[in-house]
Amino acid sequence: MRILLTNDDGIFAEGLCALYDALCEDHEVFVVAPEAERSAVGHAITIADPLRIKKVKRGNVFFGYAVNGTPADCVKIAIHELIGPGIDLVLSGINRGANVGINVLYSGTVSAATEGVILGYPGIAVSLGEYREPDYCFAAYFASCLLDALKDYNSEEIFCLNVNVPFLPAHKIKGIKFVKQSTAPLIEKFEKRVDPHGNIYYWQCSERFTETDPETDVVALKEGFITITPLHYNLTSEKVLKKLASWKIEF
Ligand code: MN
């Protein structure tokens, strides 16, 4: 496969390098990723500033293109300018930290995969359910298995998959679950602090999910399953759209 590899943790992030190393022997992998971490920028794009591209080496060998933009910018500029349209897949990750539930909306990792779909290519986002110095080996290996499985999957539809791998030893992983995205709210808080000059500032942190349904990404991941959730970017609510048809708005 010809794969565009990107992420939101930045081009030198361990998760991206692990994915590259796991795939580069069997696939043609093109790296176009943000030059610095752009986690939680969602589907943002850069329009008020120019995008600048730098060629990046790893171990003295050309590795890929670093972009001073967002993950969605990376996918757009990769396909329109840097590597051209002839790819089979946009792969994003491996993100440091899970992208499940409502957090999927904030995720730059997921948005890069979604951007692939918008441009006409299948997209896969891969995230690891651990933030503190995780080891990406198993998640990268699983991604390579997933790509092998895709070879036999013929679909008319251009799919976007959100994959989350629990941070557990391989033998403790319970299996793979195809699940829906949780929409239960997060318990969030703002920590109020004082800086050295006496000014108050706030640090936003999400505490935990309120979800309890085992058939959701949030709970299945927590229970030790690899979760796979197909996503689409059409935000229309068909249900409400039907109801609106009977509305009478006078003007
Ligand atoms: Mn990230």
Side-chain angles (χ1 to χ4, degrees):
M1 277 183 163
R2 282 166 64 85
I3 298 169
L4 166 59
L5 177 60
T6 190
N7 72 351
D8 76 359
D9 293 337
I11 195 161
F12 295 111
E14 250 183 79
L16 182 139
C17 294
L19 211 40
Y20 181 89
D21 293 341
L23 299 175
C24 66
E25 266 185 37
D26 297 336
H27 303 272
E28 213 176 334
V29 184
F30 303 91
V31 177
V32 182
E35 65 179 6
E37 182 172 350
R38 303 303 297 268
S39 289
V41 298
H43 214 114
I45 54 169
T46 306
I47 51 171
D49 296 300
L51 286 176
R52 300 191 190 276
I53 314 293
K54 281 182 206 147
K55 281 187 179 176
V56 162
K57 284 180 175 176
R58 187 173 161 226
N60 239 1
V61 182
F62 173 71
F63 180 54
Y65 297 96
V67 182
N68 65 333
T70 66
D73 286 330
C74 290
V75 175
K76 282 183 194 292
I77 206 159
I79 287 165
H80 291 304
E81 295 290 334
L82 300 174
I83 57 173
I87 58 160
D88 300 305
L89 179 74
V90 175
L91 186 60
S92 180
I94 300 168
N95 188 59
R96 189 171 112 168
N99 276 308
V100 289
I102 290 301
N103 283 343
V104 168
L105 293 174
Y106 310 123
S107 167
T109 307
V110 172
S111 291
T114 317
E115 185 60 41
V117 181
I118 292 169
L119 297 178
Y121 305 96
I124 300 181
V126 183
S127 305
L128 182 63
E130 171 65 35
Y131 191 76
R132 285 170 210 164
E133 295 175 20
D135 179 291
Y136 294 93
C137 277
F138 177 77
Y141 165 73
F142 178 76
S144 73
C145 299
L146 183 64
L147 295 200
D148 290 343
L150 277 181
K151 281 185 211 144
D152 307 323
Y153 178 77
N154 281 317
S155 170
E156 297 280 291
E157 226 153 299
I158 299 172
F159 55 83
C160 180
L161 300 181
N162 183 29
V163 179
N164 281 275
V165 179
F167 188 53
L168 292 170
H171 68 276
K172 289 210 167 151
I173 292 179
K174 287 191 183 155
I176 301 165
K177 247 188 170 180
F178 298 98
V179 282
K180 64 186 174 198
Q181 178 197 335
S182 163
T183 54
L186 278 162
I187 307 269
E188 293 172 310
K189 68 169 187 179
F190 286 83
E191 228 175 82
K192 191 175 178 181
R193 300 182 182 179
V194 182
D195 77 12
H197 307 287
N199 304 306
I200 288 168
Y201 67 100
Y202 296 86
W203 206 305
Q204 183 173 180
C205 41
S206 49
E207 287 249 283
R208 62 190 161 84
F209 291 100
T210 55
E211 185 62 75
T212 54
D213 180 354
E215 295 309 310
T216 59
D217 53 0
V218 166
V219 178
L221 181 71
K222 204 168 150 197
E223 286 177 345
F225 290 93
I226 295 168
T227 65
I228 301 181
T229 302
L231 302 174
H232 56 72
Y233 57 83
N234 182 349
L235 302 179
T236 313
S237 165
E238 296 289 341
K239 219 165 130 188
V240 177
L241 184 62
K242 275 190 193 123
K243 282 184 186 168
L244 288 181
S246 62
W247 268 27
K248 291 217 164 40
I249 304 170
E250 307 278 342
F251 67 96

